[in-house]
Amino acid sequence: MKFDVRYANHPDDSKGYDTAQLRRHYHIANVFEQDEICLTYSHQDRIIAGGVMPVEKDLVLESCKELAAPYFLARRELGVINVGGDGVMVLDGVAYDVKHRDGIYVGMGTKEVVFKSLDKANPAKFYLNSCPAHKTYPTVLIPMDKARYNHLGSQETVNERILRQYIHPAVCESCQLSMGMTALLPGNVWNTMPSHTHERRMEVYFYFEVAPDQAVFHMMGQGKETRHIVMHNEEAVISPSWSIHSGVGTANYTFIWGMCGENQDFDDMDGIPTSELL
């Protein structure tokens, strides 16, 4: 297992970052590697984000020195959305079919977590978020059609999109983790506009279905001190609670968002009018 640690910082620090420094602190390049578990641990609310791509062998999620726990979910909960071929997760001996774009919530206390692909020619790609938990909630398989469906935006503002909430109080219980997927419709490129922050929780975005010759410009920073990070396919970016997290692509794309912090109120945002962004 590859385990990268990122430390939290003050918003004033990022004002002086150049492109390389912004990417070193916030950008996650290697989400998926064949037959590897690649995780990034952020001290922003202690979220873990990463990917699992089993091809030639099954992969087991284990603890590590940084967690100082007997097993990975001893004090954590886990959310997973599969963006690859059909796969299986085995949780304490119980197998769950996690097909393309299906999700699953795994409660604290689950000791055995195994990831499998059904076809190595089209391997599963399990994207995951994990955060500290205080209580055990039941494990729930969440097929894509069971996620909470929202049709948002408009073609006039080039942000028409389908938002699906997988780990959300209306779908399943969790301690603090929220997780979902947003797909921009063809001809639409903007996400999360008007911009907002939420001091009560941080967020990670994972961008995928970005064509090889396209990119997404992820906006971050405080509303009057914005920066951008260029994102390519299957890359993630950490957004501290003080930062906006909007983006614009050179073509449409899809992204998975994951949040943890004080609450799970999806609409609890501190909006920033677009006219006031600097």
Side-chain angles (χ1 to χ4, degrees):
M1 181 171 72
K2 296 184 177 180
F3 200 85
D4 184 26
V5 177
R6 307 287 181 92
Y7 290 97
N9 61 347
H10 192 278
D12 286 349
D13 295 337
S14 65
K15 294 179 182 180
Y17 290 170
D18 62 16
T19 298
Q21 289 172 309
L22 285 171
R23 296 178 74 83
R24 183 167 68 249
H25 287 288
Y26 304 114
H27 178 254
I28 303 173
N30 298 318
V31 174
F32 292 116
E33 293 184 18
Q34 179 175 323
D35 292 321
E36 188 61 84
I37 297 177
C38 300
L39 302 180
T40 297
Y41 178 105
S42 172
H43 281 262
Q44 308 281 353
D45 285 310
R46 300 191 181 275
I47 196 169
I48 294 175
V52 184
M53 184 180 174
V55 180
E56 299 293 342
K57 61 182 180 180
D58 301 344
L59 297 174
V60 180
L61 186 62
E62 299 177 328
S63 187
C64 56
K65 176 185 176 184
E66 291 80 1
L67 297 183
Y71 51 94
F72 192 92
L73 295 180
R75 297 187 294 269
R76 288 183 159 268
E77 58 187 355
L78 173 69
V80 176
I81 297 176
N82 180 11
V83 301
D86 292 349
V88 174
M89 288 180 61
V90 181
L91 307 173
D92 286 344
V94 180
Y96 295 84
D97 292 328
V98 186
K99 299 178 180 179
H100 177 65
R101 291 205 174 191
D102 285 353
I104 190 169
Y105 170 79
V106 185
M108 182 184 72
T110 303
K111 294 183 177 180
E112 179 193 47
V113 181
V114 182
F115 299 89
K116 304 182 178 188
S117 290
L118 294 183
D119 180 4
K120 68 179 183 180
N122 182 27
K125 292 181 177 180
F126 300 98
Y127 176 72
L128 66 84
N129 287 164
S130 174
C131 60
H134 61 273
K135 180 179 179 180
T136 298
Y137 285 109
T139 292
V140 179
L141 179 66
I142 310 163
M144 185 176 71
D145 62 1
K146 298 298 183 184
R148 191 183 190 202
Y149 178 94
N150 298 270
H151 189 161
L152 304 173
S154 69
Q155 186 66 57
E156 287 72 20
T157 50
V158 288
N159 69 344
E160 188 175 5
R161 61 205 187 274
I162 304 300
L163 184 150
R164 291 180 171 88
Q165 295 164 321
Y166 285 74
I167 301 175
H168 180 277
V171 179
C172 71
E173 294 181 297
S174 67
C175 290
Q176 60 165 322
L177 181 64
S178 298
M179 197 170 178
M181 180 171 64
T182 300
L184 277 291
L185 299 185
N188 292 269
V189 293
W190 277 102
N191 78 68
T192 324
M193 291 293 279
S195 297
H196 65 261
T197 61
H198 25 66
E199 285 287 351
R200 293 148 295 282
R201 58 188 182 275
M202 62 80 65
E203 196 156 4
V204 175
Y205 276 12
F206 166 69
Y207 290 99
F208 68 109
E209 295 183 342
V210 180
D213 58 344
Q214 305 296 322
V216 177
F217 290 76
H218 178 85
M219 310 299 177
M220 66 159 297
Q222 294 175 298
K224 296 188 182 299
E225 191 73 39
T226 59
R227 301 288 187 271
H228 76 269
I229 297 176
V230 178
M231 307 294 297
H232 297 287
N233 191 45
E234 296 185 351
E235 296 180 343
V237 60
I238 298 166
S239 176
S241 60
W242 47 262
S243 176
I244 66 170
H245 35 280
S246 301
V248 61
T250 54
N252 64 305
Y253 52 91
T254 307
F255 66 100
I256 293 173
W257 44 267
M259 296 184 284
C260 64
E262 291 287 343
N263 64 32
Q264 297 173 305
D265 299 331
F266 186 80
D267 295 324
D268 180 14
M269 305 169 184
D270 300 317
I272 303 173
T274 303
S275 60
E276 297 182 10
L277 289 173
L278 297 176

